PDB file of all heavy atoms in Angstrom:
ATOM      1  N   LEU A1244     -12.288  -7.997  10.459  1.00  0.00           N
ATOM      2  CA  LEU A1244     -10.943  -7.553  10.084  1.00  0.00           C
ATOM      3  C   LEU A1244     -10.051  -8.739   9.724  1.00  0.00           C
ATOM      4  O   LEU A1244      -9.348  -8.722   8.704  1.00  0.00           O
ATOM      5  CB  LEU A1244     -10.312  -6.769  11.234  1.00  0.00           C
ATOM      6  CG  LEU A1244     -10.815  -5.353  11.492  1.00  0.00           C
ATOM      7  CD1 LEU A1244     -10.143  -4.789  12.732  1.00  0.00           C
ATOM      8  CD2 LEU A1244     -10.560  -4.447  10.302  1.00  0.00           C
ATOM      9  N   LYS A1245     -10.075  -9.767  10.562  1.00  0.00           N
ATOM     10  CA  LYS A1245      -9.234 -10.932  10.305  1.00  0.00           C
ATOM     11  C   LYS A1245      -9.638 -11.624   9.009  1.00  0.00           C
ATOM     12  O   LYS A1245      -8.781 -12.103   8.258  1.00  0.00           O
ATOM     13  CB  LYS A1245      -9.321 -11.898  11.486  1.00  0.00           C
ATOM     14  CG  LYS A1245      -8.826 -11.340  12.809  1.00  0.00           C
ATOM     15  CD  LYS A1245      -7.359 -10.973  12.773  1.00  0.00           C
ATOM     16  CE  LYS A1245      -6.473 -12.191  12.728  1.00  0.00           C
ATOM     17  NZ  LYS A1245      -5.028 -11.837  12.827  1.00  0.00           N
ATOM     18  N   GLN A1246     -10.952 -11.666   8.743  1.00  0.00           N
ATOM     19  CA  GLN A1246     -11.416 -12.274   7.498  1.00  0.00           C
ATOM     20  C   GLN A1246     -10.925 -11.490   6.287  1.00  0.00           C
ATOM     21  O   GLN A1246     -10.448 -12.075   5.303  1.00  0.00           O
ATOM     22  CB  GLN A1246     -12.944 -12.341   7.488  1.00  0.00           C
ATOM     23  CG  GLN A1246     -13.523 -12.947   6.205  1.00  0.00           C
ATOM     24  CD  GLN A1246     -15.030 -12.838   6.167  1.00  0.00           C
ATOM     25  OE1 GLN A1246     -15.597 -11.770   6.437  1.00  0.00           O
ATOM     26  NE2 GLN A1246     -15.688 -13.939   5.862  1.00  0.00           N
ATOM     27  N   GLN A1247     -11.014 -10.167   6.364  1.00  0.00           N
ATOM     28  CA  GLN A1247     -10.575  -9.349   5.236  1.00  0.00           C
ATOM     29  C   GLN A1247      -9.059  -9.411   5.059  1.00  0.00           C
ATOM     30  O   GLN A1247      -8.559  -9.324   3.939  1.00  0.00           O
ATOM     31  CB  GLN A1247     -11.055  -7.911   5.419  1.00  0.00           C
ATOM     32  CG  GLN A1247     -12.566  -7.774   5.313  1.00  0.00           C
ATOM     33  CD  GLN A1247     -13.014  -6.356   5.046  1.00  0.00           C
ATOM     34  OE1 GLN A1247     -12.224  -5.429   5.002  1.00  0.00           O
ATOM     35  NE2 GLN A1247     -14.311  -6.184   4.869  1.00  0.00           N
ATOM     36  N   MET A1248      -8.333  -9.574   6.148  1.00  0.00           N
ATOM     37  CA  MET A1248      -6.882  -9.762   6.028  1.00  0.00           C
ATOM     38  C   MET A1248      -6.573 -11.104   5.365  1.00  0.00           C
ATOM     39  O   MET A1248      -5.675 -11.195   4.519  1.00  0.00           O
ATOM     40  CB  MET A1248      -6.228  -9.681   7.410  1.00  0.00           C
ATOM     41  CG  MET A1248      -6.209  -8.294   8.012  1.00  0.00           C
ATOM     42  SD  MET A1248      -5.444  -8.278   9.670  1.00  0.00           S
ATOM     43  CE  MET A1248      -5.743  -6.557  10.153  1.00  0.00           C
ATOM     44  N   LEU A1249      -7.318 -12.138   5.744  1.00  0.00           N
ATOM     45  CA  LEU A1249      -7.108 -13.459   5.156  1.00  0.00           C
ATOM     46  C   LEU A1249      -7.397 -13.447   3.658  1.00  0.00           C
ATOM     47  O   LEU A1249      -6.698 -14.092   2.866  1.00  0.00           O
ATOM     48  CB  LEU A1249      -7.996 -14.480   5.867  1.00  0.00           C
ATOM     49  CG  LEU A1249      -7.849 -15.940   5.438  1.00  0.00           C
ATOM     50  CD1 LEU A1249      -6.448 -16.455   5.758  1.00  0.00           C
ATOM     51  CD2 LEU A1249      -8.896 -16.807   6.129  1.00  0.00           C
ATOM     52  N   LEU A1250      -8.424 -12.697   3.268  1.00  0.00           N
ATOM     53  CA  LEU A1250      -8.803 -12.603   1.854  1.00  0.00           C
ATOM     54  C   LEU A1250      -7.977 -11.565   1.104  1.00  0.00           C
ATOM     55  O   LEU A1250      -8.228 -11.321  -0.083  1.00  0.00           O
ATOM     56  CB  LEU A1250     -10.296 -12.262   1.748  1.00  0.00           C
ATOM     57  CG  LEU A1250     -11.270 -13.308   2.304  1.00  0.00           C
ATOM     58  CD1 LEU A1250     -12.697 -12.772   2.265  1.00  0.00           C
ATOM     59  CD2 LEU A1250     -11.164 -14.620   1.540  1.00  0.00           C
ATOM     60  N   GLU A1251      -7.044 -10.936   1.803  1.00  0.00           N
ATOM     61  CA  GLU A1251      -6.165  -9.906   1.237  1.00  0.00           C
ATOM     62  C   GLU A1251      -6.932  -8.664   0.783  1.00  0.00           C
ATOM     63  O   GLU A1251      -6.476  -7.936  -0.094  1.00  0.00           O
ATOM     64  CB  GLU A1251      -5.325 -10.479   0.082  1.00  0.00           C
ATOM     65  CG  GLU A1251      -4.403 -11.600   0.538  1.00  0.00           C
ATOM     66  CD  GLU A1251      -3.502 -12.116  -0.574  1.00  0.00           C
ATOM     67  OE1 GLU A1251      -3.725 -11.766  -1.741  1.00  0.00           O
ATOM     68  OE2 GLU A1251      -2.552 -12.853  -0.251  1.00  0.00           O
ATOM     69  N   GLU A1252      -8.101  -8.439   1.389  1.00  0.00           N
ATOM     70  CA  GLU A1252      -8.829  -7.196   1.159  1.00  0.00           C
ATOM     71  C   GLU A1252      -8.251  -6.086   2.040  1.00  0.00           C
ATOM     72  O   GLU A1252      -8.467  -4.897   1.775  1.00  0.00           O
ATOM     73  CB  GLU A1252     -10.315  -7.398   1.450  1.00  0.00           C
ATOM     74  CG  GLU A1252     -10.981  -8.399   0.508  1.00  0.00           C
ATOM     75  CD  GLU A1252     -12.397  -8.728   0.908  1.00  0.00           C
ATOM     76  OE1 GLU A1252     -12.890  -8.135   1.905  1.00  0.00           O
ATOM     77  OE2 GLU A1252     -13.028  -9.577   0.259  1.00  0.00           O
TER      78      GLU A1252
END
Side-chain angles (χ1 to χ4, degrees):
L1244 286 176
K1245 298 298 289 186
Q1246 179 187 47
Q1247 292 199 356
M1248 289 179 186
L1249 183 64
L1250 296 174
E1251 298 184 349
E1252 296 173 3

